Amino acid sequence: MSVILVVDDERLQRDIIKTILDEEGYETYTAPSGEEALKTAKKYNPDVILADLKMGGMDGIELLESVQKYFATSTMIIVTAHGTISSAVEAMKKGAFDYLTKPLSKDSLLMTVRRAVERTELLKENLHLQKELYDRFRIEGIIGNSGKMQEAVKIMKKVSDSSATVLIRGESGTGKELAARAIHYNSSRRSKPFTALNCASIPENLFESELFGYEPGSFTGATSRKIGMIELTNNGTLFLDEIGDLPLLMQAKILRVLQDKEIRRLGGKYPIKVDVRIITATNKDIEKELAKGNFREDLYYRLRVVVIELPMLRDRKNDIPGLVQFFLNRYNLEFGKRIKGVDSAAIKALVDYDWPGNIRQLESVIERAVILCDTDTIALRDIKSELRLSERSGSFDFDLPEGGINFEELEKDILKKSMLRANGVMAKAAKLLGMSYKTFWYRWEKLNSDHPDSRDEALDQEDSN
Ligand SMILES: Nc1ncnc2c1ncn2[C@@H]1O[C@H](COP(=O)(O)OP(=O)(O)OP(=O)(O)O)[C@@H](O)[C@H]1O
Ligand SMILES: [Mg+2]
Protein backbone atom coordinates (compact mmCIF):
# COMPACT_ATOMS: atom_id res chain seq x y z
CA MET A 1 0.00 0.00 0.00
CA SER A 2 1.34 3.43 -0.89
CA VAL A 3 2.05 5.83 1.93
CA ILE A 4 1.03 9.48 1.65
CA LEU A 5 1.93 12.33 3.96
CA VAL A 6 -0.31 15.42 4.00
CA VAL A 7 1.26 18.60 5.36
CA ASP A 8 -0.84 21.66 6.06
CA ASP A 9 -1.13 24.09 8.95
CA GLU A 10 -4.92 24.20 8.58
CA ARG A 11 -6.45 21.29 10.37
CA LEU A 12 -9.66 21.15 8.34
CA GLN A 13 -7.74 21.04 5.08
CA ARG A 14 -5.56 18.17 6.36
CA ASP A 15 -8.54 16.18 7.52
CA ILE A 16 -10.47 16.55 4.28
CA ILE A 17 -7.54 15.39 2.18
CA LYS A 18 -6.82 12.51 4.56
CA THR A 19 -10.40 11.30 4.36
CA ILE A 20 -10.37 11.31 0.57
CA LEU A 21 -7.04 9.47 0.38
CA ASP A 22 -7.99 6.95 3.08
CA GLU A 23 -11.13 6.11 1.18
CA GLU A 24 -9.05 5.49 -1.89
CA GLY A 25 -7.00 2.92 0.05
CA TYR A 26 -3.85 4.91 0.72
CA GLU A 27 -2.10 4.76 4.06
CA THR A 28 -2.29 8.44 4.97
CA TYR A 29 -0.53 10.45 7.68
CA THR A 30 -0.76 14.15 8.43
CA ALA A 31 1.54 16.79 9.85
CA PRO A 32 0.76 20.41 10.86
CA SER A 33 4.14 21.88 9.90
CA GLY A 34 7.26 21.30 7.83
CA GLU A 35 9.24 20.39 10.92
CA GLU A 36 6.68 17.81 12.02
CA ALA A 37 6.47 16.51 8.47
CA LEU A 38 10.18 15.62 8.46
CA LYS A 39 9.74 13.66 11.69
CA THR A 40 6.76 11.77 10.33
CA ALA A 41 8.55 11.15 7.04
CA LYS A 42 11.47 9.65 8.90
CA LYS A 43 9.10 7.23 10.60
CA TYR A 44 6.96 6.16 7.64
CA ASN A 45 9.09 6.95 4.58
CA PRO A 46 6.16 8.21 2.48
CA ASP A 47 5.90 7.60 -1.25
CA VAL A 48 4.21 10.93 -1.79
CA ILE A 49 4.27 14.14 0.25
CA LEU A 50 1.50 16.62 -0.39
CA ALA A 51 2.45 19.93 1.20
CA ASP A 52 0.96 23.37 1.44
CA LEU A 53 3.26 26.03 0.06
CA LYS A 54 2.58 28.69 2.66
CA MET A 55 2.94 27.56 6.23
CA GLY A 56 4.26 29.18 9.34
CA GLY A 57 7.83 28.07 10.15
CA MET A 58 9.32 25.90 7.47
CA ASP A 59 7.41 26.54 4.25
CA GLY A 60 6.70 24.17 1.38
CA ILE A 61 9.84 25.07 -0.56
CA GLU A 62 12.12 24.53 2.42
CA LEU A 63 10.41 21.25 3.13
CA LEU A 64 10.94 20.28 -0.50
CA GLU A 65 14.65 20.93 -0.20
CA SER A 66 14.98 18.74 2.90
CA VAL A 67 12.88 15.99 1.38
CA GLN A 68 15.09 15.90 -1.68
CA LYS A 69 18.13 15.63 0.47
CA TYR A 70 16.97 12.94 2.87
CA PHE A 71 14.14 11.06 1.19
CA ALA A 72 15.38 10.24 -2.26
CA THR A 73 12.34 8.19 -3.21
CA SER A 74 9.60 10.50 -1.96
CA THR A 75 7.69 12.47 -4.58
CA MET A 76 6.44 15.92 -3.66
CA ILE A 77 3.24 17.68 -4.66
CA ILE A 78 2.83 21.33 -3.70
CA VAL A 79 -0.56 22.82 -2.83
CA THR A 80 -0.99 26.57 -3.34
CA ALA A 81 -3.73 29.09 -2.83
CA HIS A 82 -5.27 30.54 -5.92
CA GLY A 83 -3.19 33.40 -7.27
CA THR A 84 0.23 32.20 -6.15
CA ILE A 85 0.95 30.15 -9.25
CA SER A 86 4.35 31.75 -9.73
CA SER A 87 5.67 30.27 -6.49
CA ALA A 88 4.22 26.92 -7.50
CA VAL A 89 6.20 27.16 -10.71
CA GLU A 90 9.29 27.94 -8.70
CA ALA A 91 8.66 24.82 -6.63
CA MET A 92 8.43 22.75 -9.79
CA LYS A 93 11.76 24.13 -10.93
CA LYS A 94 13.23 23.05 -7.64
CA GLY A 95 12.02 19.51 -8.22
CA ALA A 96 8.42 19.31 -7.03
CA PHE A 97 6.57 16.77 -9.13
CA ASP A 98 3.39 18.81 -9.64
CA TYR A 99 1.19 21.39 -7.95
CA LEU A 100 -2.50 21.66 -7.08
CA THR A 101 -4.42 24.86 -6.47
CA LYS A 102 -6.94 25.44 -3.72
CA PRO A 103 -9.81 24.79 -3.53
CA LEU A 104 -8.85 21.21 -4.37
CA SER A 105 -11.04 19.15 -6.61
CA LYS A 106 -11.27 15.53 -5.59
CA ASP A 107 -10.61 14.26 -9.09
CA SER A 108 -7.48 16.24 -9.76
CA LEU A 109 -6.21 15.43 -6.27
CA LEU A 110 -6.58 11.71 -6.84
CA MET A 111 -5.19 11.84 -10.34
CA THR A 112 -2.10 13.80 -9.31
CA VAL A 113 -1.47 11.56 -6.32
CA ARG A 114 -1.79 8.47 -8.51
CA ARG A 115 0.78 9.82 -10.97
CA ALA A 116 3.11 10.77 -8.14
CA VAL A 117 2.87 7.26 -6.71
CA GLU A 118 3.77 5.87 -10.12
CA ARG A 119 6.83 8.08 -10.28
CA THR A 120 7.95 6.90 -6.86
CA GLU A 121 7.55 3.32 -7.96
CA LEU A 122 9.71 3.98 -11.00
CA LEU A 123 12.30 5.71 -8.86
CA LYS A 124 12.41 2.78 -6.49
CA GLU A 125 12.70 0.34 -9.33
CA ASN A 126 15.55 2.33 -10.86
CA LEU A 127 17.38 2.50 -7.58
CA HIS A 128 16.91 -1.20 -7.18
CA LEU A 129 18.26 -1.91 -10.66
CA GLN A 130 21.17 0.41 -10.08
CA LYS A 131 21.97 -1.33 -6.85
CA GLU A 132 21.80 -4.68 -8.58
CA LEU A 133 24.20 -3.37 -11.18
CA TYR A 134 26.61 -2.15 -8.53
CA ASP A 135 26.35 -5.45 -6.73
CA ARG A 136 26.86 -7.46 -9.84
CA PHE A 137 29.98 -5.58 -10.79
CA ARG A 138 31.50 -5.07 -7.37
CA ILE A 139 35.24 -5.62 -7.48
CA GLU A 140 34.79 -7.82 -4.43
CA GLY A 141 32.47 -9.99 -6.50
CA ILE A 142 35.22 -10.95 -8.90
CA ILE A 143 36.13 -14.50 -8.14
CA GLY A 144 39.75 -15.42 -7.88
CA ASN A 145 42.03 -16.28 -5.01
CA SER A 146 44.99 -17.17 -7.13
CA GLY A 147 47.95 -14.85 -6.88
CA LYS A 148 47.69 -13.51 -10.41
CA MET A 149 44.02 -12.70 -10.05
CA GLN A 150 44.56 -11.05 -6.68
CA GLU A 151 47.23 -8.92 -8.27
CA ALA A 152 44.78 -7.85 -11.00
CA VAL A 153 42.06 -7.09 -8.44
CA LYS A 154 44.47 -5.00 -6.40
CA ILE A 155 45.24 -2.82 -9.40
CA MET A 156 41.52 -2.52 -10.27
CA LYS A 157 40.80 -1.18 -6.79
CA LYS A 158 43.69 1.23 -6.94
CA VAL A 159 42.84 2.74 -10.32
CA SER A 160 39.07 2.86 -9.92
CA ASP A 161 38.90 6.28 -8.51
CA SER A 162 41.37 7.92 -10.79
CA SER A 163 40.57 8.71 -14.38
CA ALA A 164 43.68 6.93 -15.62
CA THR A 165 43.35 5.03 -18.86
CA VAL A 166 43.60 1.31 -18.34
CA LEU A 167 44.65 -1.41 -20.76
CA ILE A 168 43.28 -4.83 -19.90
CA ARG A 169 45.01 -7.78 -21.45
CA GLY A 170 43.92 -11.35 -21.43
CA GLU A 171 42.86 -14.25 -23.60
CA SER A 172 39.31 -14.47 -24.80
CA GLY A 173 36.86 -15.12 -21.98
CA THR A 174 39.21 -14.22 -19.12
CA GLY A 175 36.90 -11.47 -17.87
CA LYS A 176 38.19 -8.33 -19.56
CA GLU A 177 34.81 -6.69 -19.91
CA LEU A 178 33.86 -7.68 -16.39
CA ALA A 179 37.04 -6.02 -15.13
CA ALA A 180 36.28 -2.85 -17.09
CA ARG A 181 32.76 -2.70 -15.62
CA ALA A 182 34.06 -3.38 -12.13
CA ILE A 183 36.43 -0.43 -12.45
CA HIS A 184 33.60 1.79 -13.68
CA TYR A 185 31.08 0.78 -11.02
CA ASN A 186 33.71 1.31 -8.34
CA SER A 187 34.56 4.77 -9.52
CA SER A 188 32.84 8.06 -8.88
CA ARG A 189 31.54 7.76 -12.45
CA ARG A 190 29.35 4.84 -11.44
CA SER A 191 26.02 6.61 -11.95
CA LYS A 192 27.13 7.84 -15.39
CA PRO A 193 27.08 5.70 -18.53
CA PHE A 194 29.34 2.76 -19.21
CA THR A 195 29.55 2.17 -22.95
CA ALA A 196 31.24 -0.83 -24.50
CA LEU A 197 32.33 -0.88 -28.11
CA ASN A 198 33.98 -3.79 -29.82
CA CYS A 199 36.42 -2.31 -32.32
CA ALA A 200 36.55 -5.55 -34.30
CA SER A 201 32.84 -5.51 -35.01
CA ILE A 202 32.46 -2.06 -36.58
CA PRO A 203 33.05 -1.54 -40.30
CA GLU A 204 35.87 0.93 -40.81
CA ASN A 205 33.70 3.52 -42.56
CA LEU A 206 31.21 3.66 -39.69
CA PHE A 207 33.68 4.17 -36.88
CA GLU A 208 33.78 7.90 -36.98
CA SER A 209 30.04 8.47 -37.04
CA GLU A 210 29.49 5.87 -34.30
CA LEU A 211 32.07 7.39 -31.99
CA PHE A 212 31.88 11.07 -32.83
CA GLY A 213 28.42 11.56 -34.34
CA TYR A 214 27.62 13.93 -37.18
CA GLU A 215 25.80 17.07 -38.17
CA PRO A 216 22.99 17.09 -40.73
CA GLY A 217 24.33 17.41 -44.24
CA SER A 218 27.83 16.28 -43.34
CA PHE A 219 27.50 13.46 -45.89
CA THR A 220 24.82 12.17 -48.20
CA GLY A 221 22.22 10.47 -46.09
CA ALA A 222 22.98 12.47 -42.93
CA THR A 223 19.56 14.05 -42.65
CA SER A 224 19.60 14.75 -38.94
CA ARG A 225 22.11 15.19 -36.19
CA LYS A 226 23.54 12.10 -34.56
CA ILE A 227 25.20 12.22 -31.19
CA GLY A 228 28.14 9.86 -31.09
CA MET A 229 29.02 7.35 -28.43
CA ILE A 230 31.73 9.44 -26.84
CA GLU A 231 29.38 12.35 -26.29
CA LEU A 232 26.69 10.03 -24.96
CA THR A 233 29.20 8.62 -22.51
CA ASN A 234 30.19 12.03 -21.21
CA ASN A 235 31.35 11.83 -17.57
CA GLY A 236 31.24 8.05 -17.80
CA THR A 237 33.51 5.28 -19.02
CA LEU A 238 34.09 4.21 -22.62
CA PHE A 239 35.28 0.64 -22.99
CA LEU A 240 37.01 -0.04 -26.30
CA ASP A 241 37.34 -3.78 -26.71
CA GLU A 242 39.83 -5.34 -29.13
CA ILE A 243 41.62 -2.04 -29.40
CA GLY A 244 44.22 -3.61 -31.71
CA ASP A 245 41.57 -3.48 -34.45
CA LEU A 246 41.05 0.27 -34.23
CA PRO A 247 41.80 1.74 -37.69
CA LEU A 248 44.78 4.10 -37.87
CA LEU A 249 42.66 7.13 -38.69
CA MET A 250 40.52 6.54 -35.61
CA GLN A 251 43.61 6.05 -33.49
CA ALA A 252 44.57 9.65 -34.24
CA LYS A 253 41.11 10.84 -33.25
CA ILE A 254 41.03 8.87 -30.01
CA LEU A 255 44.42 10.28 -29.17
CA ARG A 256 42.95 13.71 -29.53
CA VAL A 257 40.12 12.86 -27.15
CA LEU A 258 42.70 11.78 -24.61
CA GLN A 259 44.95 14.78 -25.06
CA ASP A 260 42.56 17.66 -25.60
CA LYS A 261 39.44 16.20 -24.00
CA GLU A 262 37.32 17.29 -26.90
CA ILE A 263 35.62 15.85 -29.93
CA ARG A 264 34.27 17.19 -33.16
CA ARG A 265 31.17 15.77 -34.77
CA LEU A 266 31.55 14.87 -38.43
CA GLY A 267 30.78 18.09 -40.29
CA GLY A 268 30.72 19.96 -36.98
CA LYS A 269 32.15 23.46 -36.85
CA TYR A 270 33.19 23.53 -33.23
CA PRO A 271 34.91 21.13 -30.90
CA ILE A 272 32.84 19.89 -27.96
CA LYS A 273 34.36 19.36 -24.53
CA VAL A 274 34.02 15.83 -23.22
CA ASP A 275 35.18 14.04 -20.14
CA VAL A 276 35.30 10.30 -20.65
CA ARG A 277 37.49 7.74 -19.07
CA ILE A 278 38.82 5.27 -21.59
CA ILE A 279 39.44 1.64 -20.77
CA THR A 280 40.69 -0.60 -23.54
CA ALA A 281 41.19 -4.33 -23.86
CA THR A 282 42.99 -6.66 -26.18
CA ASN A 283 43.57 -10.36 -26.46
CA LYS A 284 46.20 -9.83 -29.10
CA ASP A 285 49.83 -9.00 -29.10
CA ILE A 286 49.42 -5.29 -29.61
CA GLU A 287 53.20 -4.81 -29.65
CA LYS A 288 53.30 -6.83 -32.85
CA GLU A 289 50.87 -4.39 -34.46
CA LEU A 290 53.07 -1.59 -33.16
CA ALA A 291 56.13 -3.08 -34.82
CA LYS A 292 54.24 -3.52 -38.06
CA GLY A 293 53.17 0.11 -38.00
CA ASN A 294 49.49 -0.77 -37.59
CA PHE A 295 49.25 0.86 -34.20
CA ARG A 296 50.39 4.34 -33.22
CA GLU A 297 53.10 4.40 -30.63
CA ASP A 298 51.93 7.64 -29.03
CA LEU A 299 48.45 6.24 -28.53
CA TYR A 300 49.81 2.97 -27.24
CA TYR A 301 51.69 4.71 -24.45
CA ARG A 302 48.66 6.82 -23.61
CA LEU A 303 46.48 3.75 -23.32
CA ARG A 304 48.81 1.69 -21.23
CA VAL A 305 49.16 4.05 -18.31
CA VAL A 306 47.89 1.19 -16.19
CA VAL A 307 48.00 -2.38 -17.46
CA ILE A 308 45.95 -5.19 -15.98
CA GLU A 309 46.85 -8.73 -16.99
CA LEU A 310 44.07 -11.25 -16.55
CA PRO A 311 45.37 -14.78 -16.16
CA MET A 312 44.18 -17.69 -18.24
CA LEU A 313 41.90 -20.04 -16.40
CA ARG A 314 44.30 -22.96 -16.88
CA ASP A 315 46.88 -20.94 -14.96
CA ARG A 316 44.60 -20.54 -11.97
CA LYS A 317 42.94 -23.89 -11.64
CA ASN A 318 42.53 -23.38 -7.89
CA ASP A 319 39.83 -20.88 -8.71
CA ILE A 320 37.76 -23.36 -10.71
CA PRO A 321 35.70 -24.79 -7.80
CA GLY A 322 34.80 -21.30 -6.59
CA LEU A 323 33.79 -20.22 -10.07
CA VAL A 324 31.74 -23.37 -10.56
CA GLN A 325 29.82 -22.65 -7.36
CA PHE A 326 29.34 -19.04 -8.40
CA PHE A 327 27.86 -19.99 -11.78
CA LEU A 328 25.83 -22.76 -10.19
CA ASN A 329 24.16 -20.19 -7.93
CA ARG A 330 23.63 -17.81 -10.83
CA TYR A 331 21.95 -20.40 -13.05
CA ASN A 332 20.01 -22.07 -10.25
CA LEU A 333 18.44 -18.69 -9.70
CA GLU A 334 17.92 -18.03 -13.37
CA PHE A 335 16.35 -21.38 -14.17
CA GLY A 336 14.60 -21.93 -10.86
CA LYS A 337 16.64 -25.05 -10.08
CA ARG A 338 18.00 -26.30 -6.80
CA ILE A 339 21.18 -28.06 -7.74
CA LYS A 340 23.34 -28.36 -4.68
CA GLY A 341 26.72 -29.03 -6.14
CA VAL A 342 28.99 -30.94 -8.44
CA ASP A 343 30.22 -34.45 -7.66
CA SER A 344 33.91 -35.13 -7.24
CA ALA A 345 34.44 -36.84 -10.60
CA ALA A 346 32.90 -33.89 -12.39
CA ILE A 347 34.95 -31.38 -10.40
CA LYS A 348 38.06 -33.33 -11.25
CA ALA A 349 37.19 -33.23 -14.94
CA LEU A 350 36.53 -29.50 -14.74
CA VAL A 351 39.82 -28.87 -12.99
CA ASP A 352 41.76 -31.12 -15.38
CA TYR A 353 40.38 -29.54 -18.51
CA ASP A 354 42.50 -26.80 -20.05
CA TRP A 355 39.76 -24.24 -20.87
CA PRO A 356 40.78 -22.66 -24.16
CA GLY A 357 37.69 -20.41 -23.84
CA ASN A 358 38.51 -19.56 -20.22
CA ILE A 359 35.79 -18.39 -17.82
CA ARG A 360 33.27 -17.74 -20.57
CA GLN A 361 33.52 -21.39 -21.59
CA LEU A 362 33.32 -22.60 -18.00
CA GLU A 363 30.22 -20.48 -17.51
CA SER A 364 28.49 -21.96 -20.53
CA VAL A 365 29.40 -25.52 -19.49
CA ILE A 366 27.82 -24.92 -16.08
CA GLU A 367 24.80 -23.18 -17.57
CA ARG A 368 24.16 -26.13 -19.84
CA ALA A 369 24.71 -28.63 -17.05
CA VAL A 370 22.24 -26.79 -14.82
CA ILE A 371 19.64 -26.98 -17.58
CA LEU A 372 20.24 -30.65 -18.31
CA CYS A 373 20.79 -31.98 -14.81
CA ASP A 374 17.68 -33.62 -13.35
CA THR A 375 19.10 -34.64 -9.99
CA ASP A 376 20.41 -32.33 -7.29
CA THR A 377 24.06 -32.89 -8.16
CA ILE A 378 25.88 -32.30 -11.41
CA ALA A 379 27.70 -35.44 -12.46
CA LEU A 380 30.37 -36.19 -15.02
CA ARG A 381 27.77 -37.22 -17.59
CA ASP A 382 26.24 -33.72 -17.50
CA ILE A 383 29.46 -32.07 -18.62
CA LYS A 384 31.46 -34.74 -20.39
CA SER A 385 30.25 -34.29 -23.93
CA GLU A 386 30.57 -30.53 -23.65
CA LEU A 387 34.19 -30.71 -22.60
CA ARG A 388 35.15 -33.14 -25.29
CA LEU A 389 33.18 -31.37 -27.97
CA SER A 390 34.68 -27.98 -27.38
CA GLU A 391 38.14 -29.40 -27.07
CA ARG A 392 37.78 -30.84 -30.53
CA SER A 393 36.07 -28.08 -32.35
CA GLY A 394 38.72 -25.65 -31.15
CA SER A 395 41.38 -26.92 -33.49
CA PHE A 396 39.84 -29.49 -35.80
CA ASP A 397 36.92 -27.68 -37.27
CA PHE A 398 37.01 -27.99 -41.02
CA ASP A 399 34.81 -28.07 -44.08
CA LEU A 400 35.02 -31.00 -46.39
CA PRO A 401 36.76 -29.56 -49.48
CA GLU A 402 35.06 -29.79 -52.90
CA GLY A 403 37.45 -32.32 -54.31
CA GLY A 404 37.27 -34.61 -51.29
CA ILE A 405 40.22 -35.39 -49.06
CA ASN A 406 43.05 -37.78 -48.65
CA PHE A 407 42.01 -39.46 -45.45
CA GLU A 408 45.49 -40.60 -44.52
CA GLU A 409 46.85 -37.10 -44.87
CA LEU A 410 44.00 -35.76 -42.77
CA GLU A 411 44.56 -38.34 -40.08
CA LYS A 412 48.23 -37.54 -40.06
CA ASP A 413 47.39 -33.88 -39.78
CA ILE A 414 45.05 -34.42 -36.87
CA LEU A 415 47.55 -36.55 -35.00
CA LYS A 416 50.26 -34.01 -35.60
CA LYS A 417 48.12 -31.13 -34.44
CA SER A 418 47.14 -32.88 -31.27
CA MET A 419 50.78 -33.69 -30.61
CA LEU A 420 51.52 -30.00 -31.01
CA ARG A 421 48.73 -29.07 -28.65
CA ALA A 422 49.98 -31.57 -26.13
CA ASN A 423 53.54 -30.30 -26.40
CA GLY A 424 54.65 -33.66 -27.66
CA VAL A 425 53.24 -35.64 -24.75
CA MET A 426 51.67 -38.58 -26.50
CA ALA A 427 49.38 -39.57 -23.64
CA LYS A 428 47.95 -36.08 -23.60
CA ALA A 429 47.61 -35.98 -27.39
CA ALA A 430 45.72 -39.27 -27.25
CA LYS A 431 43.38 -37.85 -24.63
CA LEU A 432 42.68 -34.85 -26.78
CA LEU A 433 41.34 -37.19 -29.44
CA GLY A 434 39.51 -39.40 -26.99
CA MET A 435 41.78 -42.33 -27.89
CA SER A 436 43.71 -44.72 -25.77
CA TYR A 437 47.45 -44.21 -25.65
CA LYS A 438 47.94 -47.51 -27.42
CA THR A 439 45.66 -46.65 -30.32
CA PHE A 440 47.28 -43.27 -30.73
CA TRP A 441 50.77 -44.72 -30.62
CA TYR A 442 49.86 -47.38 -33.14
CA ARG A 443 48.44 -44.86 -35.62
CA TRP A 444 51.23 -42.40 -35.08
CA GLU A 445 53.88 -45.04 -35.74
CA LYS A 446 52.05 -46.38 -38.75
CA LEU A 447 51.49 -43.04 -40.41
CA ASN A 448 54.94 -41.80 -39.67
CA SER A 449 56.86 -44.92 -40.46
CA ASP A 450 58.18 -43.40 -43.68
CA HIS A 451 59.06 -40.13 -41.93
CA PRO A 452 60.91 -41.09 -38.81
CA ASP A 453 61.60 -37.43 -37.95
CA SER A 454 58.13 -36.04 -38.21
CA ARG A 455 57.53 -35.90 -34.50
CA ASP A 456 60.54 -33.67 -34.05
CA GLU A 457 59.45 -31.66 -37.00
CA ALA A 458 56.08 -31.05 -35.42
CA LEU A 459 57.71 -29.83 -32.27
CA ASP A 460 60.15 -27.61 -34.15
CA GLN A 461 57.22 -25.97 -35.80
CA GLU A 462 55.63 -25.25 -32.47
CA ASP A 463 58.80 -23.54 -31.26
CA SER A 464 58.86 -21.19 -34.17
CA ASN A 465 55.21 -20.18 -33.58
N1 LIG B 1 36.46 -13.56 -12.03
C1 LIG B 1 35.21 -13.76 -12.44
N2 LIG B 1 34.25 -14.06 -11.57
C2 LIG B 1 33.02 -14.29 -12.00
N3 LIG B 1 32.61 -14.26 -13.27
C3 LIG B 1 33.50 -13.97 -14.18
C4 LIG B 1 34.85 -13.68 -13.84
N4 LIG B 1 35.53 -13.39 -14.94
C5 LIG B 1 34.65 -13.49 -15.95
N5 LIG B 1 33.43 -13.84 -15.51
C6 LIG B 1 32.26 -14.05 -16.35
O1 LIG B 1 32.73 -14.75 -17.51
C7 LIG B 1 32.10 -14.26 -18.70
C8 LIG B 1 33.14 -13.75 -19.68
O2 LIG B 1 33.74 -12.59 -19.18
P1 LIG B 1 34.04 -11.32 -20.11
O3 LIG B 1 32.96 -11.14 -21.11
O4 LIG B 1 34.35 -10.20 -19.22
O5 LIG B 1 35.36 -11.84 -20.83
P2 LIG B 1 36.22 -11.18 -21.98
O6 LIG B 1 37.64 -11.32 -21.58
O7 LIG B 1 35.72 -9.82 -22.27
O8 LIG B 1 35.92 -12.15 -23.19
P3 LIG B 1 36.10 -11.93 -24.78
O9 LIG B 1 37.54 -11.73 -25.03
O10 LIG B 1 35.57 -13.21 -25.32
O11 LIG B 1 35.27 -10.74 -25.11
C9 LIG B 1 31.13 -13.20 -18.24
O12 LIG B 1 29.85 -13.76 -18.11
C10 LIG B 1 31.67 -12.78 -16.88
O13 LIG B 1 30.63 -12.30 -16.06
MG1 LIG C 1 34.85 -9.11 -24.09
Side-chain angles (χ1 to χ4, degrees):
M1 196 194 314
S2 303
V3 179
I4 320 281
L5 173 60
V6 180
V7 194
D8 202 308
D9 50 3
E10 272 178 60
R11 171 136 192 214
L12 185 64
Q13 183 77 11
R14 285 200 305 270
D15 290 348
I16 295 173
I17 299 178
K18 179 171 162 53
T19 310
I20 297 174
L21 294 177
D22 279 346
E23 266 174 16
E24 199 64 20
Y26 294 111
E27 183 181 329
T28 317
Y29 300 93
T30 60
S33 67
E35 290 83 353
E36 284 301 313
L38 287 176
K39 283 185 202 153
T40 314
K42 209 168 152 198
K43 218 157 148 190
Y44 299 108
N45 194 19
D47 296 296
V48 174
I49 301 177
L50 193 81
D52 195 16
L53 189 65
K54 290 235 166 356
M55 294 183 287
M58 179 187 262
D59 69 8
I61 300 270
E62 286 170 299
L63 176 60
L64 174 68
E65 281 162 357
S66 295
V67 164
Q68 282 180 330
K69 212 153 143 200
Y70 302 111
F71 304 96
T73 57
S74 294
T75 298
M76 238 172 100
I77 301 169
I78 290 287
V79 181
T80 70
H82 193 65
T84 53
I85 301 284
S86 61
S87 25
V89 172
E90 192 202 330
M92 300 269 299
K93 274 194 198 139
K94 291 213 156 131
F97 171 69
D98 206 347
Y99 68 89
L100 293 165
T101 44
K102 288 181 191 173
L104 295 182
S105 93
K106 186 176 166 184
D107 284 349
S108 62
L109 169 70
L110 287 179
M111 198 172 78
T112 309
V113 168
R114 201 174 305 131
R115 283 178 34 240
V117 165
E118 274 169 23
R119 172 183 181 265
T120 298
E121 274 163 8
L122 268 178
L123 271 179
K124 282 186 176 164
E125 198 182 311
N126 272 345
L127 272 183
H128 179 73
L129 287 176
Q130 211 169 49
K131 187 172 171 303
E132 265 190 358
L133 215 59
Y134 295 163
D135 282 352
R136 180 160 182 161
F137 296 115
R138 269 183 10 231
I139 290 186
E140 292 73 23
I142 293 179
I143 301 200
N145 287 316
S146 62
K148 283 182 187 164
M149 201 58 206
Q150 284 299 315
E151 185 60 27
V153 163
K154 215 160 86 193
I155 305 177
M156 283 180 221
K157 281 190 179 151
K158 259 194 205 150
V159 297
S160 280
D161 238 348
S162 70
S163 269
T165 53
V166 180
L167 172 66
I168 304 171
R169 321 185 67 137
E171 266 189 13
S172 165
T174 45
K176 296 185 293 295
E177 182 156 349
L178 183 81
R181 282 181 197 273
I183 292 172
H184 172 76
Y185 286 108
N186 261 275
S187 74
S188 50
R189 297 170 180 266
R190 68 209 304 232
S191 62
K192 298 292 187 295
F194 174 93
T195 313
L197 182 78
N198 187 335
C199 299
S201 71
I202 295 196
E204 187 157 348
N205 58 334
L206 290 185
F207 251 106
E208 185 161 11
S209 61
E210 277 301 311
L211 280 171
F212 296 88
Y214 51 76
E215 293 293 346
S218 54
F219 54 90
T220 7
T223 48
S224 56
R225 169 179 293 164
K226 178 187 161 95
I227 307 291
M229 247 175 206
I230 298 181
E231 235 183 303
L232 288 174
T233 310
N234 201 13
N235 298 317
T237 304
L238 177 67
F239 174 53
L240 297 174
D241 205 353
E242 313 224 12
I243 187 72
D245 289 313
L246 193 69
L248 269 170
L249 179 70
M250 294 317 294
Q251 291 175 25
K253 301 207 169 204
I254 292 289
L255 187 63
R256 180 135 178 246
V257 174
L258 286 168
Q259 279 171 343
D260 306 337
K261 302 198 182 316
E262 59 185 35
I263 60 147
R264 203 186 279 265
R265 296 187 195 128
L266 245 156
K269 287 204 179 72
Y270 309 101
I272 299 166
K273 283 274 161 217
V274 286
D275 169 22
V276 284
R277 180 198 208 153
I278 295 189
I279 300 182
T280 59
T282 179
N283 59 17
K284 281 201 202 130
D285 193 352
I286 207 172
E287 287 75 14
K288 249 187 203 162
E289 300 299 309
L290 210 66
K292 279 193 266 173
N294 292 336
F295 207 89
R296 290 178 70 116
E297 207 167 327
D298 44 7
L299 179 62
Y300 170 73
Y301 287 110
R302 279 261 170 185
L303 295 180
R304 51 160 304 147
V305 174
V306 177
V307 180
I308 294 177
E309 301 269 357
L310 292 179
M312 294 169 280
L313 188 53
R314 57 186 162 283
D315 285 346
R316 53 176 187 123
K317 287 182 177 253
N318 286 347
D319 288 337
I320 291 177
L323 283 162
V324 167
Q325 191 56 50
F326 175 78
F327 291 129
L328 201 59
N329 294 344
R330 175 180 288 179
Y331 289 106
N332 264 338
L333 213 67
E334 187 165 331
F335 299 121
K337 292 255 190 154
R338 287 198 190 153
I339 296 166
K340 286 201 211 105
V342 180
D343 75 14
S344 55
I347 277 286
K348 185 175 178 320
L350 291 168
V351 173
D352 283 348
Y353 186 63
D354 70 85
W355 301 108
N358 293 295
I359 303 183
R360 182 190 302 294
Q361 187 188 7
L362 174 63
E363 179 172 1
S364 78
V365 167
I366 300 301
E367 178 183 3
R368 210 180 107 97
V370 168
I371 295 172
L372 293 182
C373 179
D374 40 25
T375 64
D376 65 358
T377 308
I378 290 175
L380 195 54
R381 64 170 180 279
D382 299 317
I383 55 168
K384 209 164 143 194
S385 66
E386 190 77 356
L387 295 191
R388 204 179 294 142
L389 198 76
S390 45
E391 197 153 11
R392 281 191 178 161
S393 63
S395 32
F396 303 118
D397 230 10
F398 72 99
D399 283 328
L400 199 57
E402 278 299 318
I405 46 161
N406 176 333
F407 186 70
E408 252 187 24
E409 282 303 314
L410 179 69
E411 186 181 3
K412 202 188 275 180
D413 204 15
I414 291 174
L415 294 181
K416 208 161 148 181
K417 279 195 173 132
S418 52
M419 277 296 259
L420 278 171
R421 258 295 272 293
N423 293 325
V425 181
M426 196 177 281
K428 240 171 133 183
K431 207 170 145 208
L432 280 174
L433 301 180
M435 281 180 195
S436 71
Y437 176 80
K438 229 170 109 185
T439 313
F440 189 99
W441 177 84
Y442 173 75
R443 285 171 193 254
W444 180 260
E445 289 298 309
K446 187 170 151 248
L447 287 164
N448 290 298
S449 55
D450 46 347
H451 300 293
D453 287 334
S454 51
R455 177 171 163 177
D456 296 339
E457 191 188 292
L459 296 175
D460 285 350
Q461 235 173 22
E462 146 108 310
D463 288 343
S464 61
N465 273 342

